[in-house]
Amino acid sequence: MSVYKTYMTEVKNNIRNFSIVAHIDHGKSTLADRLLEITGTVDKRKMSEQYLDSMDLEKERGITIKLQPVRMNYSLNGTEYILDLIDTPGHVDFNYEVSRSLAAVEGAILLVDATQGIQAQTLSNLYLAMEQDLVIIPVINKVDLPTANVEQVEKDIVKLLGCESDSILKISAKSGMGVDKVLETVIREIPSPKNNDDKPLRALIFDSYYDTFKGVIAYVKIVDGVVRAEDSVYLMASGAKGDVLETGIFIPELKKKDNLTSGEIGWIATGLKAIEKCRAGDTITSLKAESGKHKEEKEDQDIQNNQTIEPLPGYHEPKPVVYASFYPAEGDDYFYLREALSKLKLTDAAFTFEPESSSVLGKGFRCGFLGLLHLEIMAERIKREYNINFILTAPSVIYKIKRRNSEKGELEEIFSASHLPLPEVIAEMHEPWAKVDVITPADYIGKVMTLMESIRGIYIKTDYINDAHVIIQYEAPLANIITDLHDNLKSVSSGFASMSYDIIGWRRGDLVRLDILVGGDKVEAFSRIVVEKSAMEIGRAMAAKLKEAIPRSQFVIPIQAAIGGKIIARETISPYRKDVTKKLYGGDVTRKNKLLEKQKKGKKKMKAMGRVEIPQSVFIEIMKK
Ligand code: GTP
């Protein structure tokens, strides 16, 4: 072995790539903060809580939305180690961020809150880590809290992982107690990456974003080979070619480094202009052709030669499961809205949008999201970062329909209730279903089951995690899961139950389109697809809610719920009567009647003029339910 290779192998021996996985709020970001502090990566004076959550929204809501890599240097027993950590989100909606991070590391810290124990996302994230064959380091967090039940949680983890109980670390990420042990264990237990520097370049893209100055920046794990500035690269799946402008590491900001070698996590400024060409999951290889004459031909030859290189296993592209449309509140804002959506898309591959138009709302965009939290966050960002007022339609999953007149019987996708044809035309409707795992204290089994049955859930099985906790498995329609199952589970279980879900396929359903008419006009933004059996109940509830939410006006506003042409529920907002006779003193009845008559006529005119002004807050309010 050459001296250089021996040296590089030693360098790799000192690299550890790892992630922290946990259920939401179990303390990942807090642990990451402590690791940054202990390793001196971030100056204590600059340290703020949840340092790696760089978006304002992440800090405010205390949740991680985007994965964030960071390199730390740490000296243990006289040896310098490079620790590359990827912080990941915990909420179900952002699970695909977790699976991408895990493909780039060799180990994961499994963090469990001592007061909560194992929760649904603990399991689903653990399974993702196991699929990648990662070394798992179990850690119990928040042992400082008086309600911590360390002993029980320890037993549960032993049962889950089949590990020794002394191998489970007990820490307080908040105070920092035991965190140095976590670093020691990471160094001792997680294998270093292999030295594959002399192989042809293969870099796994696990994230990317567009930078105005540098073009598309790819977040990569170098699996084989070396990459440096000015290298020509080729993306195996998208077929895009680029010239590397710079390479570097995360501290967590981007820091330039002359090259990235196998085993390292870092970034490549690819020189590409279009983010679509640089998707997570793709493999970057190099093209050796020097610039100059016949560069193109030589590169094509290289691409041919590279065909012997096996692309790295990618990830399955995150597919939106919830759709909702944004319409600008003022028509002039259409172009600003389009620009805002395009910019957001550059930082979020899972978000999709395309133009659509509605007879009532005008021109807008149909957008796809990974779940309701994802939707809420995007809506908030449009409002906050771009200052645009919009109307948001009720969120919906994708449905499939078969038309009566369809000869081949093919299924057609329907993204929103307003696009669903009349009931007479539809032969069959299909909706997506998912498998739901609910973890709950055994005391709440009854209430959880009642809730699951109320959303058309089909019971599959119950497994005991320990004497006091169970996993209950159901199959249920996705539409019911994504709307408010999470919140309802929390409320029936005093906050203890947690859930995760996986889509399993399409099933036929008895579904209808429920429309809402306000002042006689159909408001498309309120239309939704519902189960026929519950249409009446939902229609009534919506009408009642709208009655509360829409401000009174000078005329009567009927609110009706309808299926096809049939009205199934009705509420009325009575007018406020402006006291036109107030200024009249004394008993001049004729004059009083005259004024009231005039008022009546005025109201008729207004009614004929039509539309009721519905404040934007009402649309958001209705969306929430
Ligand atoms: P997501 O990123 O949204 O998945 O959450 P997270 O897992 O990163 O949790 P985070 O670090 O934001 O911690 C959640 C809450 O628990 C915060 O209020 C922390 O201050 C608190 N917390 C974290 N670790 C500890 C601990 O060891 N002890 C105590 N008492 N509180 C802790």
Side-chain angles (χ1 to χ4, degrees):
M1 209 189 272
S2 72
V3 178
Y4 179 73
K5 191 163 181 195
T6 314
Y7 165 72
M8 281 316 287
T9 304
E10 268 172 34
V11 171
K12 313 287 175 199
N13 281 346
N14 299 340
I15 297 180
R16 301 291 181 273
N17 298 315
F18 68 106
S19 247
I20 309 174
V21 293
H23 188 75
I24 192 162
D25 279 349
H26 281 203
K28 276 184 314 293
S29 304
T30 310
L31 175 58
D33 286 352
R34 289 301 85 73
L35 296 177
L36 294 177
E37 251 171 46
I38 295 182
T39 55
T41 310
V42 177
D43 197 54
K44 218 167 180 166
R45 278 170 305 144
K46 284 198 194 152
M47 192 77 203
S48 58
E49 262 184 47
Q50 300 177 334
Y51 189 85
L52 293 179
D53 289 346
S54 48
M55 288 198 260
D56 283 350
L57 231 122
E58 291 185 309
K59 282 205 159 70
E60 254 168 57
R61 293 188 163 214
I63 51 170
T64 307
I65 298 166
K66 276 222 68 69
L67 62 85
Q68 174 65 55
V70 61
R71 171 164 296 191
M72 302 174 287
N73 295 298
Y74 189 62
S75 173
L76 183 71
N77 304 329
T79 309
E80 282 291 328
Y81 290 93
I82 291 173
L83 308 176
D84 271 324
L85 161 70
I86 308 181
D87 187 26
T88 58
H91 192 279
V92 233
D93 281 14
F94 306 111
N95 235 350
Y96 80 108
E97 296 262 330
V98 182
S99 52
R100 283 160 28 188
S101 314
L102 296 182
V105 296
E106 282 81 33
I109 295 173
L110 177 73
L111 197 65
V112 184
D113 184 328
T115 66
Q116 305 278 317
I118 293 169
Q119 303 261 298
Q121 293 298 305
T122 318
L123 289 186
S124 61
N125 288 330
L126 170 67
Y127 297 148
L128 290 175
M130 285 171 149
E131 270 170 31
Q132 302 284 344
D133 277 334
L134 301 187
V135 168
I136 311 282
I137 298 176
V139 177
I140 301 178
N141 188 30
K142 307 198 190 180
V143 298
D144 58 297
L145 287 173
T147 47
N149 190 350
V150 180
E151 229 171 274
Q152 183 59 54
V153 176
E154 186 178 271
K155 273 191 201 150
D156 296 345
I157 296 178
V158 167
K159 190 169 164 200
L160 179 68
L161 298 178
C163 60
E164 297 293 326
S165 54
D166 349 327
S167 69
I168 304 171
L169 302 171
K170 287 108 197 164
I171 67 162
S172 163
K174 190 153 192 167
S175 74
M177 189 211 90
V179 176
D180 50 345
K181 284 271 180 322
V182 175
L183 281 177
E184 268 173 43
T185 315
V186 163
I187 290 171
R188 197 180 58 237
E189 300 290 330
I190 297 178
S192 55
K194 289 197 189 74
N195 180 8
N196 289 337
D197 285 0
D198 44 10
K199 291 192 178 168
L201 177 69
R202 285 200 304 170
L204 174 69
I205 304 176
F206 63 88
D207 203 2
S208 61
Y209 76 94
Y210 181 79
D211 177 277
T212 335
F213 301 109
K214 297 191 176 118
V216 178
I217 308 273
Y219 288 29
V220 292
K221 155 80 174 285
I222 312 291
V223 177
D224 296 329
V226 179
V227 62
R228 47 176 73 78
E230 292 176 23
D231 280 357
S232 298
V233 288
Y234 171 67
L235 280 70
M236 299 186 85
S238 77
K241 285 189 275 186
D243 292 310
V244 176
L245 301 177
E246 283 173 7
T247 55
I249 53 167
F250 303 94
I251 59 160
E253 299 78 27
L254 303 190
K255 184 182 175 210
K256 242 167 96 168
K257 179 174 176 285
D258 288 343
N259 60 29
L260 290 174
T261 67
S262 62
E264 283 190 281
I265 288 174
W267 52 269
I268 300 177
T270 57
L272 293 171
K273 291 281 168 273
I275 186 108
E276 306 78 62
K277 298 277 182 202
C278 187
R279 280 281 173 243
D282 206 340
T283 303
I284 300 183
T285 59
S286 64
L287 299 171
K288 283 174 205 61
E290 305 282 328
S291 55
K293 244 183 164 182
H294 307 302
K295 180 171 181 258
E296 286 273 317
E297 287 158 40
K298 284 186 200 156
E299 281 183 351
D300 287 342
Q301 188 54 48
D302 258 356
I303 292 172
Q304 289 290 328
N305 297 342
N306 275 353
Q307 279 178 355
T308 51
I309 298 177
E310 178 105 354
L312 296 161
Y315 327 92
H316 59 107
E317 281 258 317
K319 272 196 94 177
V321 292
V322 182
Y323 286 83
S325 300
F326 285 87
Y327 287 88
E330 275 124 61
D332 303 357
D333 277 348
Y334 177 79
F335 293 101
Y336 294 117
L337 182 59
R338 190 175 66 189
E339 202 179 308
L341 297 176
S342 313
K343 284 196 177 146
L344 287 171
K345 168 92 194 134
L346 294 182
T347 58
D348 187 341
F351 167 71
T352 64
F353 74 98
E354 56 185 75
E356 85 172 355
S357 62
S358 133
S359 54
V360 178
L361 300 170
K363 274 166 58 170
F365 299 91
R366 179 164 57 77
C367 305
F369 308 90
L370 298 168
L372 272 200
L373 179 65
H374 190 207
L375 186 167
E376 238 182 84
I377 279 164
M378 285 308 221
E380 185 90 22
R381 290 185 68 186
I382 294 171
K383 220 182 311 169
R384 224 187 248 218
E385 293 167 29
Y386 300 92
N387 207 5
I388 299 171
N389 277 332
F390 51 81
I391 291 165
L392 186 56
T393 62
S396 166
V397 297
I398 305 178
Y399 291 91
K400 288 184 178 177
I401 60 160
K402 197 195 276 178
R403 288 183 190 257
R404 285 194 193 282
N405 60 3
S406 130
E407 276 168 25
K408 295 191 197 104
E410 71 271 34
L411 295 170
E412 193 180 311
E413 288 189 338
I414 300 286
F415 294 91
S416 84
S418 58
H419 291 124
L420 192 70
L422 291 170
E424 306 81 272
V425 183
I426 303 170
E428 279 174 27
M429 273 189 79
H430 298 244
E431 62 177 330
W433 275 61
K435 172 175 83 67
V436 193
D437 285 322
V438 178
I439 295 192
T440 177
D443 298 348
Y444 297 99
I445 293 178
K447 285 185 176 162
V448 167
M449 288 183 140
T450 312
L451 173 64
M452 293 308 295
E453 260 129 53
S454 76
I455 64 155
R456 294 186 285 147
I458 299 172
Y459 174 78
I460 305 295
K461 62 174 182 180
T462 303
D463 288 320
Y464 274 81
I465 298 179
N466 53 42
D467 295 344
H469 290 85
V470 293
I471 310 182
I472 312 177
Q473 197 173 83
Y474 270 87
E475 287 174 1
L478 185 64
N480 299 64
I481 297 170
I482 55 161
T483 39
D484 45 16
L485 181 61
H486 180 263
D487 291 354
N488 289 340
L489 264 178
K490 291 277 168 209
S491 77
V492 300
S493 67
S494 315
F496 289 120
S498 62
M499 59 169 261
S500 66
Y501 64 86
D502 272 321
I503 296 170
I504 48 177
W506 296 85
R507 289 186 194 170
R508 223 177 133 168
D510 291 326
L511 304 157
V512 289
R513 166 175 160 178
L514 177 69
D515 290 314
I516 299 288
L517 289 79
V518 178
D521 291 331
K522 190 188 293 169
V523 183
E524 277 179 24
F526 294 147
S527 298
R528 53 183 63 188
I529 294 170
V530 299
V531 184
E532 195 167 11
K533 253 190 342 204
S534 10
M536 177 92 81
E537 192 189 331
I538 298 173
R540 274 197 196 129
M542 281 182 77
K545 194 160 177 182
L546 281 169
K547 182 181 174 182
E548 296 304 315
I550 296 176
R552 294 167 87 184
S553 96
Q554 288 186 43
F555 49 91
V556 175
I557 307 174
I559 298 170
Q560 295 156 306
I563 298 174
K566 196 170 142 217
I567 305 292
I568 55 164
R570 180 189 164 110
E571 292 279 351
T572 309
I573 303 180
S574 52
Y576 58 77
R577 197 173 99 169
K578 197 167 140 201
D579 195 355
V580 282
T581 60
K582 204 155 119 195
K583 284 192 197 130
L584 289 179
Y585 299 101
D588 185 351
V589 176
T590 21
R591 173 127 177 78
K592 196 169 166 182
N593 283 345
K594 224 172 173 178
L595 276 173
L596 285 173
E597 202 50 43
K598 202 168 139 199
Q599 186 192 36
K600 221 174 179 177
K601 263 194 203 146
K603 275 187 190 169
K604 241 191 203 147
K605 206 160 121 204
M606 283 176 79
K607 197 168 171 188
M609 271 163 41
R611 229 146 266 166
V612 180
E613 284 263 336
I614 304 173
Q616 191 180 340
S617 56
V618 176
F619 288 93
I620 306 250
E621 191 54 32
I622 290 292
M623 181 205 104
K624 279 192 181 149
K625 182 60 208 161

